[in-house]
Amino acid sequence: MIDTPDLVDQHCHGVLRTELGLGTFEAHLGAHLSARPGGAAVLPAAGTTFFDTQTGFAVRRWCPPLLGLEPHCPPARYLARRRELGAAEAGRRLLRASGISTYLVDTGLPGDLTPPAELGAAGAAAAHEIVRLERLAEQVADSSGSVEAFLAHLAEAVHTAAAGAVALASAEGVRQGLASAPGPPGPGEVRGAAGRWLAARPPGGPLTDPVLLRHLLWIAVTAGRPLQLHTGDRDPAVLADFAAATAGLGADLVLLHTYPHHRAAAHLTGLHPHVYADLGPVLAHTGARAAAVLAEVLERAPFGKLLFSSGARGLPELHAVAAGAFRAALTRVLGEWVTDGAWSRTDAQRVAALIAAGNARRVYRLT
């Protein structure tokens, strides 16, 4: 048995405070399965259910026992028990049973999600904030009366946010900002893009301009904090030039949500000292196949470059599922290698502790 009592969830979101019916629960389960920016809720096709997915089966495996039910009980029975306990009590049981000791919480999603302090209290864990760059830029735009003010306040806002957060994160930077070029745009290019975006932007409109997104990423690189990059459904190989250009500048890059391109992400971590890869949601998505996916990542990535996370948002079940799937996959893969004589048990335990918590504590300078 590989022992991982301490988990640092290096990227997650808050949970919902409200009671959930079957349809609402499924919508949030579908949002976790979706690669849509911002985790927008999606609905299953008519006559189908998101419980019939690897993640849905994993929820039914790991979560019912934490609420006093048998594993794999029907979804309707599970949700009835959840309502019987109440959202707050069910959430506390699920979060505290996960074994997560520290949450790094991305606060950039809309909706009534618990902030870091509230999530930490519910899970009896430490909690720290990750600042979402796009949302920060949109807030600056809302309060800036000119292009010059926006650009000046943007740089100041990023550096101020970095001083109080453990990391910065971008959801659109890879999808749109780095698609055209890896390097920083010139001042004239940035001013022109800012003028066009501010003139056309409706109140509260999202930041989608590729030049401004690239500019924002390069400000973040100078801010002295790790930069988390959502790769979504894009091959992380598109980041190769950006990774090379940012080498030696002091900002670690952490690649999020890399499945099904987890091999490419693992390869990139081996090429650049400052590039790391996220594991948690990969294993939660693949459920019963999690051990096989983990073994593929471990074929390519240096073991000091991999970090556990849940990627959970909305449902506390997703924290529990990610932790359970991670521990089970790690025990199966490393346990087999120990049994075969390929690894010593001491080395297996050491590597497990690195991926579970040690690497995150080093990268994010956690005490």
Side-chain angles (χ1 to χ4, degrees):
M1 179 68 178
I2 303 300
D3 187 23
T4 52
D6 180 27
L7 295 179
V8 173
D9 188 344
Q10 69 100 35
H11 184 265
C12 66
H13 305 273
V15 299
L16 294 161
R17 302 180 178 93
T18 55
E19 304 291 346
L20 302 177
L22 179 61
T24 308
F25 190 95
E26 284 214 46
H28 288 283
L29 187 60
H32 183 71
L33 295 167
S34 171
R36 293 183 183 183
V42 293
L43 298 174
T48 71
T49 170
F50 282 138
F51 276 103
D52 283 341
T53 61
Q54 288 284 14
T55 303
F57 273 38
V59 167
R60 292 175 56 213
R61 174 190 179 183
W62 295 107
C63 297
L66 305 181
L67 303 187
L69 300 171
E70 71 278 7
H72 306 293
C73 72
R77 184 179 179 194
Y78 174 76
L79 292 175
R81 174 59 174 164
R82 201 181 192 277
R83 290 191 296 273
E84 177 185 326
L85 291 170
E89 177 61 21
R92 280 193 294 269
R93 293 191 185 193
L94 291 161
L95 292 171
R96 295 185 182 195
S98 70
I100 295 171
S101 64
T102 304
Y103 299 102
L104 307 190
V105 187
D106 182 339
T107 56
L109 290 185
D112 185 26
L113 300 176
T114 53
E118 189 174 341
L119 182 66
H128 306 276
E129 184 178 16
I130 299 167
V131 171
R132 180 74 69 91
L133 289 169
E134 289 86 351
R135 183 175 182 186
L136 183 64
E138 291 152 12
Q139 292 169 343
V140 171
D142 289 338
S143 60
S144 297
S146 67
V147 170
E148 290 73 19
F150 168 70
L151 294 178
H153 294 161
L154 182 62
E156 180 183 359
V158 171
H159 285 267
T160 299
V166 293
L168 304 172
S170 172
E172 295 295 335
V174 176
R175 293 185 181 97
Q176 301 192 58
L178 297 178
S180 56
E189 190 180 3
V190 171
R191 281 194 298 271
R196 290 189 297 273
W197 179 61
L198 292 173
R201 175 180 182 257
L207 175 58
T208 57
D209 183 90
V211 172
L212 291 181
L213 285 167
R214 191 156 39 102
H215 176 62
L216 190 59
L217 292 181
W218 276 97
I219 295 174
V221 166
T222 69
R225 293 292 185 187
L227 175 57
Q228 297 185 344
L229 297 170
H230 291 246
T231 61
D233 55 0
R234 295 185 69 87
D235 187 335
V238 303
L239 282 168
D241 290 340
F242 182 69
T246 54
L249 298 183
D252 289 326
L253 308 180
V254 184
L255 312 184
L256 303 179
H257 309 319
T258 60
Y259 186 78
H261 303 290
H262 50 288
R263 284 179 177 269
H267 177 64
L268 204 58
T269 66
L271 295 179
H272 302 283
H274 64 307
V275 177
Y276 294 78
D278 175 68
L279 267 181
V282 171
L283 305 183
H285 280 313
T286 51
R289 288 283 296 165
V293 174
L294 176 61
E296 290 178 346
V297 175
L298 291 173
E299 290 174 4
R300 304 296 299 272
F303 309 134
K305 294 300 203 70
L306 301 173
L307 304 97
F308 165 77
S309 84
S310 68
R313 57 178 179 265
L315 303 178
E317 281 82 358
L318 298 175
H319 292 276
V321 164
F326 171 75
R327 287 193 173 99
L330 205 64
T331 294
R332 179 178 298 182
V333 173
L334 301 191
E336 287 181 0
W337 293 349
V338 169
T339 300
D340 292 343
W343 285 34
S344 71
R345 183 167 295 279
T346 299
D347 280 339
Q349 186 59 62
R350 181 174 58 83
V351 169
L354 285 175
I355 299 172
N359 292 336
R361 293 194 183 280
R362 184 183 73 254
V363 171
Y364 298 105
R365 304 169 203 164
L366 304 176
T367 56

